[in-house]
Amino acid sequence: AEKQADRWLKDGYEQPNIRFGKLYEQFLAEKELHRGISSSGLRQYASIGKVHLLPVLAHKKAQSVTLNDWQKCIDTAFTNSLTTGKPISKRMLKNIRAAMSAVYSYAQRQRIPLQRPEGLIFPATATISKRTVLQPSDIQTVFTHNEYANAAGEQRTFWYIHLIRFILLTGLRPGEAIGIRPTEDIQNDFLYIQRSINYHGEITP
């Protein structure tokens, strides 16, 4: 505390008594300004803050946050996930740590005293998420079936099957495929990807 006070007096920290909750709010506002309200990164930071950081740190002064507090966020996220029967993945824990580092970097730029989140330990039993890729039989199903069974077990035509097939063949992101305008984007047998539709239905380059 004395070292922090000395730095404050020497360097002229701004908002030395700001609460972490207010600091995180300002951090998100800057992210929104730089990335836009519809960016996936902003949504992830907002979600991580709401679920994993603010419940532990919101009312603490930013300059009073310790390494133990940062570690407590990691440990609490993991223990809470165990109660749901779905242990949090190691990748998600890394995302939480990345959010900590991002808000620390913001605090440094704003000359707000905050402990750097370093040397944090992940629980040894944290799961490692795995991705399951489509197998040849799955791909064959996509190209041979046009129907699906609804909740009542009734067979219905899947109207977007051609879009799914096109995405599978080309590797386009869903937003890029949805954003295609055939009359504008197909020229001399070439398809030009010129826009995307994001999560909020906005057109982006």
Side-chain angles (χ1 to χ4, degrees):
E2 288 179 357
K3 288 181 180 179
Q4 288 181 338
D6 289 341
R7 288 200 302 269
W8 175 31
L9 293 172
K10 179 181 178 181
D11 300 331
Y13 275 131
E14 298 177 6
Q15 306 181 72
N17 295 316
I18 190 173
R19 302 286 175 176
F20 184 85
K22 185 64 176 179
L23 171 63
Y24 207 81
E25 179 184 322
Q26 294 177 1
F27 160 71
L28 291 177
E30 183 188 76
K31 290 298 180 186
E32 179 179 331
L33 176 65
H34 292 168
R35 298 188 177 187
I37 193 172
S38 59
S39 77
S40 59
L42 176 62
R43 293 199 303 273
Q44 184 177 57
Y45 283 135
S47 175
I48 288 175
K50 179 180 179 180
V51 177
H52 302 298
L53 302 183
L54 296 180
V56 179
L57 304 174
H59 301 296
K60 292 200 68 168
K61 290 183 179 180
Q63 67 173 340
S64 299
V65 172
T66 65
L67 285 178
N68 188 56
D69 291 322
W70 289 128
Q71 185 65 55
K72 185 177 179 181
C73 291
I74 295 291
D75 295 342
T76 301
F78 182 71
T79 54
N80 286 348
S81 72
L82 294 179
T83 63
T84 66
K86 297 180 180 179
I88 197 169
S89 69
K90 193 171 183 178
R91 180 180 180 182
M92 186 60 199
L93 292 176
K94 289 182 177 180
N95 288 341
I96 295 173
R97 183 178 62 186
M100 295 175 181
S101 297
V103 73
Y104 165 76
S105 296
Y106 169 79
Q108 289 296 103
R109 292 196 304 276
Q110 300 299 320
R111 300 177 65 79
I112 295 174
L114 182 65
Q115 172 69 54
R116 182 175 184 175
E118 55 187 356
L120 302 181
I121 302 172
F122 297 145
T125 54
T127 60
I128 299 176
S129 57
K130 297 180 179 179
R131 293 177 180 268
T132 303
V133 299
L134 289 179
Q135 299 301 309
S137 58
D138 300 320
I139 297 174
Q140 184 177 22
T141 298
V142 172
F143 283 93
T144 55
H145 290 71
N146 296 325
E147 298 183 339
Y148 71 98
N150 64 12
E154 302 169 336
Q155 291 294 317
R156 298 288 180 86
T157 299
F158 183 46
W159 296 106
Y160 298 102
I161 188 62
H162 300 297
L163 176 65
I164 299 302
R165 291 169 179 169
F166 185 70
I167 289 174
L168 179 58
L169 286 170
T170 61
L172 289 177
R173 296 181 177 90
E176 294 170 337
I178 293 171
I180 292 173
R181 296 173 181 169
T183 56
E184 298 178 30
D185 302 337
I186 298 177
Q187 302 172 21
N188 300 322
D189 293 331
F190 283 88
L191 171 65
Y192 296 87
I193 306 303
Q194 305 183 81
R195 72 194 65 78
S196 181
I197 309 296
N198 66 20
Y199 180 81
H200 293 272
E202 300 168 336
I203 297 177
T204 60

